[in-house]
Amino acid sequence: MTSFDNFGFTFLEEGFCARDIIEQKINESTSSDDKDAFYVADLGDVLKKHLRWARVLPRVTPFYAVKCNDSRAVVETLAMLGAGFDCASKTEIQLVQSLGVEPSRIIYANPCKQVSQIKYASAHGVQMMTFDSEVELMKVARSHDNAKLVLRIATDDSKAVCRLSVKFGATLKGSRLLLERAKELGLDIIGVSFHVGSGCTDPETYAQAIADARCVFDMGAELGYNMTLLDIGGGFPGSDDSKLKFEEITAVINPALDKYFPADSGVRIIAEPGRFYVASAYMLAVNIIAKKVNMKEQSGSDDEDDGTNDRTLMYYVNDGVYGSFNCILFDHAHVTPIVHKKPKPDERMYPCSIWGPTCDGLDRIVELCALPDRQVGDWLLFENMGAYTVAASSTFNGFQKPDIYYVMSRSAWQCMQQIHAQGMPALVGEQSPGNMPGHCGRESNLGLPAKSCAARVL
Ligand SMILES: Cc1ncc(COP(=O)(O)O)c(C=O)c1O
């Protein structure tokens, strides 16, 4: 039984949004020195993504990639919505199973696993797992009672920002050898998976990978395998400012699926979206803890110039690349600061750099951007900070991870409860958390510790 007992989010009152909570928290900190960085995460945004996924990719069941953001509230939200999960380790499996998610909703999608963790999966009923080598097949044959193996194939990820096929994935030729070896070992291969890499700029990569998967299905059939699972991986953008939009990708994926794996083929299609679900749900607020004003060397002076033209500013803030902004190093992210105190229309902008709080020169968040002159104690905001941020941040140099305040509107919560109880609505295209059918209007009966958000801060 799935249990949702410790969600710990705050309800957004009617007409309020996550940004209002940022304002409220910043206002509360005004009179104190306690201005630690913090997140506000809107779980309703995760729900919106789930509805969008179902509307645009109706044939594909999402198995959320836990590695992307393993916050319990996010995983719990998706568990409640009925998503599956891509777990890469024992700890991720434990987290998902601690929420009562049944093993059939988990794919152990790490092609190179530690033997003890394969045994853990076996003992806990997790059967679906990926592989891409003969050694892995032999490990699984020895360590798992009833594995349902998914062959990960390589893709042409040369147009992706984060490449994965440099590390994982069998070639088509290699796939045949692996299928033959699996047959000899008496292993069950149920399907094929791939990942086109993240930040993919060419949607045709998905179509090519789906066509390649078809080839591997056919090879399998020649060897007597009746494969029934296609896993199209992740890499779907998490915010609408990406170069390639989600709907541009799905416009290529859907016809490719219909061509190579038509609905009557009996093949179940899943995917492993990570950033898609969480990137836009999180906003980070950081505080300016130090500042330097640098004067450029002057060649000659202009009488009218008050000197400000030759200034560059260095802002030091209380979260950096060893913390939330590890996404800059590990996920090739580019982040854009928003000044909390809006600049006046005629306010002068300066060339600025933004640095994290540690003593490391590598700890630079933005090399060059234009910002107004702000003071120690002022705030900078960063949107789209939910993917590959909190999951991989450290406390290097003793800097603590920011608190995360989870929020959700009542209508989103009611919509989630309805989906949990009745499954996804048939006409998901017309549903959004704000216009779900009437009986969504009743109050929560799950007895969750949801608190009401106090007052709107303007
Ligand atoms: C196997 C696998 N699946 C899914 C993902 C999620 O990718 P994304 O967050 O780009 O959707 C990753 C990310 O590295 C991955 O390695």
Side-chain angles (χ1 to χ4, degrees):
M1 180 63 193
T2 310
S3 59
F4 303 103
D5 51 0
N6 202 13
F7 240 101
F9 65 85
T10 299
F11 274 132
L12 287 168
E13 291 302 349
E14 191 74 27
F16 288 68
C17 64
R19 178 66 193 259
D20 295 320
I21 306 303
I22 296 249
E23 291 296 328
Q24 183 174 327
K25 299 279 172 207
I26 288 178
N27 263 25
E28 284 165 10
S29 77
T30 310
S31 53
S32 109
D33 285 336
D34 180 10
K35 296 182 194 305
D36 290 338
F38 65 93
Y39 283 96
V40 172
D42 183 1
L43 298 174
D45 196 69
V46 176
L47 167 66
K48 269 193 214 152
K49 292 288 182 65
H50 193 62
L51 295 173
R52 184 169 168 193
W53 182 282
R55 187 174 66 238
V56 180
L57 276 177
R59 292 190 57 204
V60 185
T61 307
F63 276 55
Y64 171 66
V66 177
K67 62 182 80 69
C68 179
N69 182 331
D70 60 354
S71 303
R72 197 176 167 89
V74 166
V75 176
E76 204 158 6
T77 299
L78 287 163
M80 187 166 174
L81 291 170
F85 294 91
D86 151 8
C87 297
S89 63
K90 171 182 168 181
T91 306
E92 289 184 359
I93 293 172
Q94 273 171 336
L95 168 64
V96 169
Q97 292 200 323
S98 74
L99 296 168
V101 172
E102 52 279 23
S104 62
R105 280 165 66 194
I106 296 173
I107 180 163
Y108 190 177
N110 185 342
C112 299
K113 299 169 279 297
Q114 187 173 314
V115 166
S116 61
Q117 303 206 2
I118 299 174
K119 288 183 178 165
Y120 181 87
S122 177
H124 290 80
V126 176
Q127 294 181 313
M128 285 196 288
M129 56 185 62
T130 61
F131 77 101
D132 63 0
S133 69
E134 188 178 345
V135 169
E136 197 69 8
L137 281 178
M138 292 190 298
K139 276 158 54 189
V140 171
R142 280 198 308 268
S143 318
H144 200 291
D145 292 335
N146 191 14
K148 296 192 178 309
L149 287 156
V150 178
L151 172 50
R152 167 109 169 237
I153 57 171
T155 60
D156 172 12
D157 62 359
S158 56
K159 296 189 192 105
V161 178
C162 309
R163 301 185 69 172
L164 291 170
S165 290
V166 288
K167 184 171 180 186
F168 298 116
T171 59
L172 288 185
K173 197 168 156 207
S175 295
R176 179 176 285 280
L177 297 173
L178 289 173
L179 290 168
E180 285 167 359
R181 188 74 185 107
K183 201 82 209 170
E184 285 162 19
L185 290 166
L187 291 167
D188 187 13
I189 307 229
I190 62 158
V192 174
S193 75
F194 61 78
H195 194 304
V196 299
S198 298
C200 170
T201 50
D202 181 4
E204 288 304 325
T205 315
Y206 281 94
Q208 184 57 53
I210 291 167
D212 288 349
R214 178 75 259 168
C215 284
V216 178
F217 269 67
D218 295 343
M219 282 178 207
E222 285 168 26
L223 295 166
Y225 280 117
N226 176 27
M227 294 195 235
T228 53
L229 186 86
L230 172 66
D231 175 355
I232 64 171
F236 306 93
S239 65
D240 285 332
D241 60 9
S242 63
K243 271 198 198 124
L244 191 59
K245 307 278 174 285
F246 179 54
E247 280 75 9
E248 289 173 319
I249 297 175
T250 58
V252 172
I253 290 180
N254 283 324
L257 290 177
D258 290 343
K259 178 171 175 194
Y260 295 106
F261 296 92
D264 61 3
S265 63
V267 174
R268 179 182 184 216
I269 302 162
I270 68 169
E272 299 164 0
R275 68 191 66 240
F276 171 80
Y277 270 102
V278 286
S280 58
Y282 280 58
M283 188 185 250
L284 175 65
V286 300
N287 197 255
I288 300 174
I289 55 168
K291 173 186 168 184
K292 284 181 195 159
V293 181
N294 297 323
M295 304 302 288
K296 270 197 242 151
E297 289 290 319
Q298 288 274 55
S299 49
S301 70
D302 181 339
D303 286 348
E304 307 237 327
D305 183 8
D306 59 2
T308 52
N309 279 339
D310 299 306
R311 254 181 226 181
T312 63
L313 306 179
M314 295 171 77
Y315 290 121
Y316 296 74
V317 299
N318 49 6
D319 198 355
V321 303
Y322 286 93
S324 303
F325 294 100
N326 71 82
C327 56
I328 293 169
L329 300 184
F330 299 135
D331 198 39
H332 307 280
H334 295 278
V335 296
T336 309
I338 302 169
V339 278
H340 168 250
K341 273 188 202 151
K342 279 210 187 86
K344 297 187 189 85
D346 56 349
E347 198 166 348
R348 179 168 279 173
M349 295 290 185
Y350 297 90
C352 298
S353 54
I354 305 176
W355 302 79
T358 67
C359 293
D360 191 344
L362 186 77
D363 193 1
R364 185 178 64 198
I365 300 166
V366 179
E367 186 178 357
L368 181 64
C369 62
L371 291 178
D373 192 356
R374 288 291 175 269
Q375 310 311 321
V376 167
D378 285 337
W379 294 87
L380 298 179
L381 310 178
F382 292 85
E383 292 176 322
N384 300 319
M385 285 292 290
Y388 304 101
T389 50
V390 290
S393 72
S394 76
T395 55
F396 175 61
N397 253 190
F399 292 102
Q400 299 308 303
K401 300 178 191 181
D403 283 337
I404 308 173
Y405 300 102
Y406 296 98
V407 297
M408 183 171 358
S409 68
R410 284 182 195 276
S411 59
W413 174 239
Q414 286 155 4
C415 178
M416 273 180 58
Q417 283 180 289
Q418 184 172 332
I419 292 171
H420 180 59
Q422 297 165 18
M424 286 295 269
L427 288 173
V428 77
E430 272 130 57
Q431 308 299 346
S432 72
N435 66 357
M436 290 290 286
H439 57 289
C440 254
R442 68 177 190 274
E443 286 297 322
S444 158
N445 59 5
L446 293 185
L448 297 175
K451 297 153 274 166
S452 229
C453 163
R456 181 171 192 164
V457 179
L458 296 169

